[in-house]
Amino acid sequence: MFSQTLAVTMINLRSIPQRWALSLATIFSIALVVAVLLGFLAMANGFRATLSSTGSDDVAVMLRGGSQAELNSGLSRDDQRIVAEAPGIARDAAGEPIVSGELYVIVDGIKRSSRTEANLPLRGVGPLAATLRADYQIVEGRAFEPGSNELVVGQSVQREFSGFDLGQVIRLGTNEWVVVGVFSTGGSVFESEIWADIGTIQNLYQRGTAIQSIRARMTSADAIEGLEAFIENEPRLNLDVTNEAEYYADQAGGTSDLIMFLGWPLAIAMAIGALAGAWNTMYSSVDTRMKEIATLRAIGFAGSSAAIGTMVESMILAVIGGLVGAVAVFLIFDGISASTLGGGFTQVVFSFAVTADAIINGIVLALIIGFAGSIFPAIRAARIPLLAVHRA
Amino acid sequence: MTALYTLTDLSKKYTRGKETLTIFEELNMTIDQGDFISIMGPSGSGKTTLLNLLGGIDRPSSGAVDCEGVRVDKLSEGKLAKWRSAHVGFIFQFYNLMPMLSAAQNVELPLLLTSLSSKERKKRVETALDIVGILDRKGHRPAQLSGGQQQRVGIARAVVADPKVLLCDEPTGDLDRATADEVLETLQLLNRELNKTIVMVTHDPAAAGYASRQLHLDKGRFVEREAV
């Protein structure tokens, strides 16, 4: 049976040039389906990778109780002072607790690609903020001076948004700022932020001494349990505490799931269209080879070999389509930078990531289209009347 | 002579709507091993239908097709396919070659249904092509061959698995006289030298002349003529 099926499949494949236009249309439609799916998956994977590479296990993030994000949190300097005395908080060489109270304000930026406005996070930070971010370094210029209208921008912001070149004066809301430095944090989400002195931001945005989040370095990742117990037993505090890595992983989940929920249904809807194309191509393949199939069966080939040969042909066309789509998406999208709305209602800059898993998903979808599109044509191939051998 | 086929009370009818078209009815016939039979007759007389019944690619409405004790008309589709591959070689008017395969690959097709090794298959393919005088064209595709050469490839394909019977449907219908004669001589050779039983449907009296037994099928009845 194997040699029969192999022979029929080879005959089918070698006859593809006779139906090149239809075969090409099928390959193209399946490639398009896979490309759309992989595009969405690459976006979701890139977004997730950016956020999940952000945050440390030994950094605790504290927000007001019940807040989901920094944007709707509100804390006071007293909260920060009390937290600084909690057990498990690491201290620097001078014996000072490594705790950073931070303010989070949304400002408008102009995307370089579309020239449209998008939200950017302006983070007010103190002197310890940098030590709480792994791999933080100024890659151009210098850090801002406390109390000044100076700011530093993440590399991703500078790349994706206009107006943040070094030395440039930029108006954010009613205030003018000077860009004095560009920082990197190894590709994490912090590179999608603008940082300035917290005191200056509190003044300009009339926030008094309010802060929105507290970050604290802990002596170890396990120390968070002691910190949680401390906060729970301290009646002056109403804080939710989580480690920074988990905080960003949770934020990544919502948006990347949303991208997935958009991507899969769209790909499936398109797949139904491609299925019709595959179906048409395979019916055409069977019809144009009706005499050949009947001849093979008259010689003694089983009907099932004609059916399996038809299915294999369809799935080979589908795999070719899938690979074309995957290669196209990889060449066009992999590694390109884009931004989308993150959990804090601000833009998160990320790179599309066309992963091996995503490609496998795309190829599997292509195979499903190829298989489903071949079922009825395969049945027809198996049932071709033998008398078709006499056709002229 | 040993009877290869015995046809008993063979009928074939087609039903179209309320109409029933009778091709032939209660046809009786014996074909001996080593016969070279030509069947002539007007269009619609049932010549090709009879060939289809002998080859097991169609089933009778009633009656029996017996080949060496096997009721061909009673075999299941699967068993019938195996029976065809072992016992029958078909030669068609329009050759029915696979256009994308070479002559050798076309001839090899029936051997793919056997347990022969690739080396054995190649040897038998070359022998078959040699017998029909077209070994030097083994790598050519059908489109690169003349009609006569294509029919020789068709004959090689029909004999390569060494079946007892060759069923030929207008094998020279698409060929000029000289080429037709060459093809018919090849069939005669296969009949005489290799003792292949041949049943050939033809409209051409000259082609029928190559047969040892000439039958005329008309109005559902056989009329036998003396071979010249």
Side-chain angles (χ1 to χ4, degrees), chain A residues 3 291 295 297 389-390, chain B residues 52 84 96 105 112-113 169:
Chain A
S3 56
K291 184 174 162 185
T295 302
R297 292 192 55 208
V389 291
H390 297 299
Chain B
N52 293 338
R84 281 195 302 266
N96 289 30
Q105 287 169 327
L112 297 175
L113 306 169
D169 183 27

Side-chain angles (χ1 to χ4, degrees), chain A residues 3-4 7 10-11 14-15 18 291-293 295-302 386-392, chain B residues 14 48 52 56-58 77 81-82 84-85 90 92 94 96 98-101 105 109-110 112-113 157 169:
Chain A
S3 56
Q4 280 188 52
M10 292 311 295
I11 290 169
R14 288 178 184 187
S15 69
Q18 295 170 357
K291 184 174 162 185
E292 291 164 20
I293 294 170
T295 302
L296 288 171
R297 292 192 55 208
I299 288 172
F301 281 63
L386 289 170
L387 297 179
V389 291
H390 297 299
R391 289 189 178 191
Chain B
Y14 291 106
T48 299
N52 293 338
I57 60 175
D58 199 2
E77 283 300 323
K82 283 183 183 165
R84 281 195 302 266
S85 68
F90 290 97
F92 303 100
F94 299 109
N96 289 30
M98 306 296 140
M100 67 297 299
L101 301 183
Q105 287 169 327
L109 286 171
L112 297 175
L113 306 169
R157 182 180 66 188
D169 183 27

Side-chain angles (χ1 to χ4, degrees), chain A residues 62 76-89 91 97 99 211 214 216 227 230-239:
Chain A
M62 285 154 275
S76 69
R77 285 285 183 195
D78 287 341
D79 294 327
Q80 184 180 344
R81 248 188 322 269
I82 296 166
V83 165
E85 300 306 319
I89 300 295
R91 291 176 182 269
V99 175
I211 56 174
I214 301 169
L227 180 58
F230 173 82
I231 290 168
E232 202 170 319
N233 294 320
E234 173 52 69
R236 291 172 294 174
L237 293 177
N238 173 26
L239 301 176

Side-chain angles (χ1 to χ4, degrees), chain B residues 196-222:
Chain B
K196 297 294 174 196
T197 305
I198 298 176
V199 181
M200 174 176 70
V201 164
T202 181
H203 277 105
D204 176 11
Y210 281 84
S212 55
R213 229 176 121 190
Q214 294 174 28
L215 300 176
H216 195 87
L217 187 61
D218 193 12
K219 295 174 186 167
R221 296 275 171 229
F222 274 128

Side-chain angles (χ1 to χ4, degrees), chain B residues 29-134:
Chain B
M29 179 189 189
T30 302
I31 299 172
D32 291 331
Q33 173 69 46
D35 268 352
F36 185 170
I37 298 176
S38 67
I39 301 174
M40 296 184 71
S43 293
S45 61
K47 305 183 297 294
T48 299
T49 302
L50 179 62
L51 211 61
N52 293 338
L53 296 176
L54 292 171
I57 60 175
D58 199 2
R59 291 180 190 272
S61 305
S62 64
V65 179
D66 185 297
C67 181
E68 294 184 307
V70 175
R71 280 291 296 272
V72 175
D73 56 295
K74 296 284 186 191
L75 293 175
S76 66
E77 283 300 323
K79 285 182 178 168
L80 199 53
K82 283 183 183 165
W83 178 84
R84 281 195 302 266
S85 68
H87 293 85
V88 184
F90 290 97
I91 297 166
F92 303 100
Q93 179 179 0
F94 299 109
Y95 330 124
N96 289 30
L97 301 177
M98 306 296 140
M100 67 297 299
L101 301 183
S102 68
Q105 287 169 327
N106 267 288
V107 174
E108 190 186 10
L109 286 171
L111 299 181
L112 297 175
L113 306 169
T114 67
S115 56
L116 292 175
S117 67
S118 171
K119 199 175 168 185
E120 289 170 315
R121 291 202 303 265
K122 190 179 173 195
K123 195 176 167 189
R124 287 182 69 161
V125 166
E126 290 187 351
T127 303
L129 286 169
D130 196 25
I131 288 171
V132 298
I134 200 169

Side-chain angles (χ1 to χ4, degrees), chain B residues 184-195:
Chain B
L184 290 161
E185 280 163 16
T186 304
L187 290 176
Q188 208 167 43
L189 177 84
L190 292 169
N191 172 247
R192 288 178 180 166
E193 301 296 324
L194 301 177
N195 199 34

